[in-house]
Amino acid sequence: MRVESAHIKGYRLFEEETISLDESTTIIVGRNNSGKTSFVELFYKFFGSGKSAKFSVDDFSRKQYRSLQEAADTWQQSRNSADEEPQDTLTSLENEAFGKLPEITLEIEFSYNDNEPATPLADLILDLDPERHDALLSCRYYIEKPQEFLTDFSESHHNDIIEFTRRRMSHFTCEYTAIDKEDRSNRRPLELSDVYKALSCDFIYAQTLFDDTALDKGHGLSKGFEQYYNKIADNEETLDQLENAIKSISEQLDSEYATLFKSVFDDLDTFGVNGMSALQTVAVRSSFKPETLMKDSTKVFYQDETGQYLPEAHNGLGFTKLIYIVLQFVSFLKAHEEKKPTPGTSLIFVEEPEAHLHPQMQSVFIRSVAKYIESKKWDAQLIITTHSSHIIAESGFKGIRYFKAGSQATLSGTPACNEGGASLQIKDLTTFRNELKNNDEGVTVRFLEQYMELRRCDMFFADKIILVEGTTERLLLPKIIEKVDSLMDNTTSPLAHSYISLIEVGGAYASKFRELLQFLEVPTLIITDIDSVDPNNDNKKCKTSTPGAVTSNTTLKGWLPKCTSITDLLDKNTLETQLESNNVRVCYQVPDEDGTLVGRSFEEAFILANAEILEEQASTTSHASKFRPDKHRYYTAVEIREQSYDIAGKVTSKSDFAFDILMLNDWKTPKYIEEGLKWLAQASQSK
């Protein structure tokens, strides 16, 4: 038995979205403020906060905000025309206003197999079709008595329906309903106790209150053991010994208290307190309970190699965090096993488990927790929100759900503007992977899976992405971005303030990212080389000025701008119209000025753009010998431009060349990279 999907409507960024859940582990990724935590909180509000879901007016989506205002306007229209319009018209206006009142819904679809008992879902199953193995639970937060709500608004001193609603959330209530998804008119109201038979939800939030210095007093791990005790306190046989010991201590203390407080009781008699008929005799007795004894009086210690016990704060945050998470899972399992009846399935939400865990531990965690659940034969599904590229790498494409928020979205759902449009997209990487395979793109899938496993793949959390061809560009790009930022006006947000994922892809593999980049829809700049070759000379490398030269670059030939000849690549029409598509732009070497030479590679383009700088400073670089015709002198700027192709060809260490550039004063960024970065700075996330 498992949860197949969750359909959310009217909640914060979720105007109306469906999230499919993996049968084992669903990993939710995305940039900050993309709705990951909101998704977890919605389940907590409906299933983890007791009988009354704790929503606020800020939880409504942008569309619901507008609809609430429209409801108020329509209702006011009906009140203003009450004496003029026929009753049918007034009733129609009132019903229209009722229909516009906001609500939040969460629909959860379950599935089960023939060999599984359907008893936990009995209250949710409404059909008698033996071929169907599904059930649908609807959780709805809405205004139970809309006429009373709107009447109260009309009679109140509030002009703003939003502020009125904020102060009148008591008008809202939760309802839980079983629905036949193939006949939605077939419904059955449910109590929350009925829902808990089918599903239990547990939550592990990002923990920051762990001790890591002597000044910390949080004792987060100790409190975790307190919580575990409270979970097992009802039926563990070993607790009998603890309770017997506490009883013995209490009896001894009662005797001590009687002696200690005797003088107080005698003084009370002096005032006649114990002689008053309306009062009982005063006594002091101990009242220990195991759960209260654990609280604030039981601490976790670590034993070092000498046998000495050290306090909780002496252990590393990462190890402490891991112990805490494991303890939570053990507690959840204990509680699950003790529930009567046992829920059909469980959802366990884990928020950012990577906090304080080093990369290797993050990878181990994601593997181990799934194995733990499987080993316990526990029908539980994990839902993990994360910013960890290492957790993604461990998962490949399996179970990843990418949350992408538009630029106008806000966490509360409050509109940044009045325009419509989807504020959130949910993208399923498992579906994306399968579609690639079905389209005979198995090689691309394998490449991407290998890349995600071997490299830090942070593009799922990035505001913008840059693909570079080689080591030189990768090493220099932070400094180049700083230079380009200084050239832009105040209307453009500096690139240095964006979260940029920088990926080194080589010359032949940028195109392998094409489908994934189109899937992510994040503004992407590809910085590559024009790679001129001579088709009349066995496609050997050649100057870009060679007649009939073509490019060997697969990205330029097959993706953007889909040109082969160097002449076409440098044509003004190509440069103005064909370098950008689907939020991706490519940049390659172009003339720094009309009629000037064009470099074949980054190294040559840099040499051409900085000939005067190199004339003066080449002698200070590790490549000094490449800038001199003989031992007696260095090239002039004119000669450097004439010899640029040969000089660049003699560069054997690209990393050394990059460090040489960093040692130069006042060097210039080649024009093609500068133009590409300016485009990226202005690229909108809402595309």
Side-chain angles (χ1 to χ4, degrees):
M1 188 173 298
R2 56 170 291 210
V3 174
E4 289 284 344
S5 64
H7 181 81
I8 302 171
K9 185 176 180 180
Y11 175 68
R12 298 189 183 179
L13 299 183
F14 300 83
E15 293 288 7
E16 186 164 5
E17 298 290 340
T18 299
I19 301 93
S20 62
L21 301 186
D22 187 81
E23 60 184 11
S24 173
T25 304
T26 302
I27 298 177
I28 298 176
V29 301
R31 300 191 304 274
N32 287 328
N33 292 353
S34 60
K36 301 185 296 296
T37 299
S38 294
F39 177 71
V40 176
E41 285 189 358
L42 180 60
F43 277 83
Y44 180 78
K45 288 175 184 292
F46 275 122
F47 300 107
S49 58
K51 294 183 178 180
S52 178
K54 301 297 188 288
F55 288 93
S56 75
V57 71
D58 298 315
D59 288 322
F60 293 118
S61 67
R62 291 189 293 171
K63 185 176 179 181
Q64 296 289 324
Y65 265 86
R66 292 192 294 270
S67 185
L68 176 58
Q69 187 62 61
E70 291 169 2
D73 294 342
T74 304
W75 177 260
Q76 196 59 46
Q77 180 184 349
S78 72
R79 299 302 92 190
N80 293 340
S81 58
D83 297 332
E84 303 171 3
E85 299 290 346
Q87 186 59 44
D88 288 349
T89 301
L90 293 176
T91 301
S92 177
L93 284 172
E94 290 176 356
N95 289 335
E96 182 181 347
F98 299 159
K100 291 179 179 293
L101 290 174
E103 63 179 48
I104 295 170
T105 59
L106 168 63
E107 291 188 352
I108 300 173
E109 182 175 351
F110 298 84
S111 68
Y112 58 96
N113 299 323
D114 281 329
N115 58 353
E116 292 179 313
T119 306
L121 293 175
D123 295 317
L124 276 67
I125 298 174
L126 304 180
D127 66 276
L128 299 176
D129 186 350
E131 300 300 318
R132 288 180 58 184
H133 300 86
D134 62 85
L136 186 64
L137 167 66
S138 172
C139 312
R140 180 177 174 228
Y141 184 72
Y142 73 111
I143 296 173
E144 186 174 19
K145 298 177 180 179
Q147 184 166 2
E148 180 180 315
F149 172 78
L150 289 171
T151 300
D152 284 354
F153 170 64
S154 296
E155 296 174 353
S156 74
H157 64 279
H158 289 279
N159 295 320
D160 185 350
I161 185 69
I162 303 296
E163 286 306 311
F164 173 80
T165 305
R166 190 184 302 278
R167 299 169 186 272
R168 298 291 194 279
M169 296 304 290
S170 58
H171 282 278
F172 287 81
T173 189
C174 275
E175 72 170 16
Y176 300 85
T177 310
I179 300 177
D180 183 347
K181 71 175 186 177
E182 295 188 3
D183 178 11
R184 297 185 67 89
S185 64
N186 185 13
R187 296 166 170 254
R188 175 190 297 154
L190 300 171
E191 297 295 330
L192 193 53
S193 57
D194 301 325
V195 174
Y196 286 152
K197 296 176 187 176
L199 177 68
S200 68
C201 295
D202 293 297
F203 305 85
I204 302 177
Y205 290 102
Q207 296 294 319
T208 57
L209 299 178
F210 291 119
D211 293 357
D212 64 334
T213 73
L215 298 178
D216 289 332
K217 303 299 181 183
H219 301 295
L221 192 56
S222 299
K223 291 178 180 177
F225 277 95
E226 291 176 23
Q227 294 169 9
Y228 176 68
Y229 172 87
N230 292 332
K231 284 284 190 345
I232 66 173
D234 291 337
N235 64 355
E236 286 286 324
E237 295 180 3
T238 55
L239 297 182
D240 291 342
Q241 298 177 10
L242 176 60
E243 291 175 349
N244 290 335
I246 290 174
K247 181 180 179 182
S248 176
I249 294 172
S250 296
E251 291 173 351
Q252 295 179 33
L253 286 175
D254 289 345
S255 176
E256 295 293 332
Y257 288 160
T259 302
L260 180 64
F261 293 108
K262 184 177 185 301
S263 61
V264 177
F265 298 146
D266 291 343
D267 289 341
L268 290 175
D269 281 335
T270 301
F271 288 94
V273 171
N274 283 332
M276 295 180 184
S277 58
L279 296 175
Q280 303 297 321
T281 301
V282 178
V284 176
R285 297 178 63 85
S286 61
S287 180
F288 285 145
K289 296 179 181 179
E291 59 270 24
T292 55
L293 188 65
M294 288 283 292
K295 182 176 177 60
D296 296 328
S297 61
T298 304
K299 299 290 182 279
V300 171
F301 289 84
Y302 298 99
Q303 188 174 17
D304 65 12
E305 62 276 5
T306 67
Q308 180 181 359
Y309 286 95
L310 302 175
E312 183 176 334
H314 283 226
N315 204 51
L317 279 174
F319 193 65
T320 300
K321 173 70 179 287
L322 189 60
I323 293 175
Y324 180 85
I325 293 176
V326 170
L327 187 61
Q328 292 287 85
F329 273 97
V330 174
S331 299
F332 294 159
L333 177 59
K334 282 286 185 183
H336 178 80
E337 292 173 339
E338 292 167 8
K339 289 176 181 176
K340 301 299 180 187
T342 303
T345 189
S346 299
L347 293 180
I348 303 175
F349 296 85
V350 185
E351 185 182 35
E352 298 181 12
E354 67 270 14
H356 309 309
L357 300 184
H358 61 69
Q360 291 81 2
M361 195 176 287
Q362 293 172 27
S363 300
V364 169
F365 165 79
I366 197 66
R367 287 197 305 266
S368 301
V369 69
K371 289 181 179 178
Y372 172 79
I373 290 174
E374 183 180 357
S375 69
K376 299 298 182 180
K377 302 187 184 305
W378 184 8
D379 288 328
Q381 294 167 257
L382 280 176
I383 300 173
I384 297 174
T385 67
T386 185
H387 290 96
S388 169
S389 57
H390 302 282
I391 289 178
I392 288 179
E394 186 62 37
S395 307
F397 285 102
K398 182 174 171 54
I400 295 178
R401 306 294 181 265
Y402 176 60
F403 281 28
K404 181 179 183 293
S407 60
Q408 301 299 333
T410 62
L411 273 182
S412 69
T414 307
C417 65
N418 291 324
E419 298 300 321
S423 57
L424 180 68
Q425 292 176 283
I426 311 296
K427 292 170 171 279
D428 186 334
L429 262 74
T430 303
T431 301
F432 164 72
R433 175 186 183 276
N434 294 337
E435 288 175 351
L436 281 181
K437 284 203 164 187
N438 293 336
N439 293 331
D440 295 325
E441 294 285 352
V443 174
T444 298
V445 171
R446 177 169 172 76
F447 168 80
L448 291 173
E449 287 177 335
Q450 292 293 315
Y451 179 86
M452 291 171 67
E453 181 178 344
L454 297 174
R455 300 295 297 271
R456 180 172 171 265
C457 189
D458 59 353
M459 65 176 67
F460 297 100
F461 317 110
D463 300 322
K464 304 175 191 293
I465 299 171
I466 300 177
L467 272 58
V468 297
E469 182 161 328
T471 302
T472 313
E473 296 95 317
R474 175 176 57 81
L475 292 173
L476 291 175
L477 205 59
K479 188 63 177 178
I480 291 175
I481 287 175
E482 181 183 318
K483 285 178 172 287
V484 172
D485 276 347
S486 68
L487 300 175
M488 290 188 287
D489 56 41
N490 295 331
T491 62
T492 303
S493 178
L495 284 172
H497 292 178
S498 299
Y499 180 179
I500 297 176
S501 176
L502 178 60
I503 304 172
E504 184 180 345
V505 296
Y509 286 94
S511 59
K512 295 294 184 185
F513 288 88
R514 179 176 181 175
E515 287 81 6
L516 182 57
L517 291 172
Q518 291 175 350
F519 174 85
L520 296 177
E521 296 183 302
V522 176
T524 301
L525 177 67
I526 303 172
I527 301 175
T528 192
D529 290 337
I530 201 168
D531 290 334
S532 52
V533 296
D534 188 351
N536 300 315
N537 189 20
D538 295 329
N539 285 330
K540 290 183 179 179
K541 296 178 182 179
C542 68
K543 297 179 180 181
T544 56
S545 58
T546 302
V550 298
T551 181
S552 62
N553 189 301
T554 56
T555 298
L556 302 183
K557 291 188 294 183
W559 185 0
L560 290 172
K562 286 190 176 180
C563 294
T564 300
S565 78
I566 300 300
T567 301
D568 290 342
L569 287 169
L570 298 178
D571 181 80
K572 285 190 176 181
N573 181 63
T574 300
L575 298 176
E576 290 175 359
T577 62
Q578 296 176 239
L579 299 185
E580 179 185 352
S581 177
N582 293 327
N583 225 25
V584 177
R585 187 187 191 277
V586 68
C587 66
Y588 52 85
Q589 289 78 20
V590 297
D592 276 19
E593 297 178 8
D594 288 345
T596 59
L597 294 173
V598 178
R600 181 186 188 275
S601 62
F602 169 81
E603 290 76 17
E604 185 180 2
F606 181 87
I607 292 168
L608 288 168
N610 292 274
E612 284 77 14
I613 303 294
L614 291 167
E615 178 184 15
E616 298 176 0
Q617 303 179 44
S619 60
T620 65
T621 69
S622 65
H623 287 82
S625 62
K626 312 298 189 296
F627 290 89
R628 55 195 307 172
D630 53 50
K631 295 181 179 180
H632 304 290
R633 71 180 184 90
Y634 286 90
Y635 288 131
T636 65
V638 172
E639 291 174 320
I640 287 174
R641 288 194 174 92
E642 292 174 347
Q643 301 295 325
S644 61
Y645 177 80
D646 293 330
I647 295 172
K650 295 175 183 177
V651 174
T652 55
S653 172
K654 292 183 179 294
S655 57
D656 285 349
F657 188 77
F659 292 132
D660 282 345
I661 291 174
L662 293 175
M663 297 302 294
L664 298 175
N665 296 320
D666 301 323
W667 53 272
K668 301 176 183 177
T669 302
K671 180 180 179 181
Y672 73 101
I673 296 180
E674 181 179 308
E675 290 181 342
L677 290 175
K678 286 181 177 178
W679 170 88
L680 187 64
Q682 297 166 356
S684 171
Q685 287 288 359
S686 62
K687 287 185 179 180

